[in-house]
Amino acid sequence: MVVVHLDRARTPAPSWAALGWLETSIRVYSKYIDVVAKALKDEENEQEVVKREKMAIDEVRSLLAEMLKDDA
């Protein structure tokens, strides 16, 4: 059995959720790892979406610049 002495902490926990994650990481480590892996996967997917959106914006800007050149 693992015992965590929160009374020895230098500062209080930021939230009850943080304490819940601490408990989960101690008691059910495999569940904690599963949730963390899913969260990181979602973050990577979000980064890919942002990258594609930036590329699309650059493409639109390029097209607009070409249109301005043609009008001049």
Side-chain angles (χ1 to χ4, degrees), residues 32-48:
Y32 176 75
I33 293 300
D34 288 344
V35 172
V36 169
K38 287 179 185 176
L40 290 176
K41 179 183 172 197
D42 290 343
E43 186 175 314
E44 288 176 8
N45 288 342
E46 188 174 314
Q47 289 173 352
E48 290 175 17

Side-chain angles (χ1 to χ4, degrees), residues 13-69:
S15 66
W16 285 106
L19 292 175
W21 278 113
L22 175 64
E23 182 180 13
T24 301
S25 70
I26 293 167
R27 292 181 187 239
V28 192
Y29 187 71
S30 61
K31 177 67 175 175
Y32 176 75
I33 293 300
D34 288 344
V35 172
V36 169
K38 287 179 185 176
L40 290 176
K41 179 183 172 197
D42 290 343
E43 186 175 314
E44 288 176 8
N45 288 342
E46 188 174 314
Q47 289 173 352
E48 290 175 17
V49 168
V50 169
K51 184 177 177 181
R52 282 195 303 268
E53 286 177 355
K54 285 181 180 180
M55 289 173 55
I57 290 170
D58 288 342
E59 186 176 346
V60 169
R61 285 182 177 155
S62 174
L63 290 171
L64 289 172
E66 285 180 30
M67 290 171 64
L68 287 173
K69 284 180 186 175

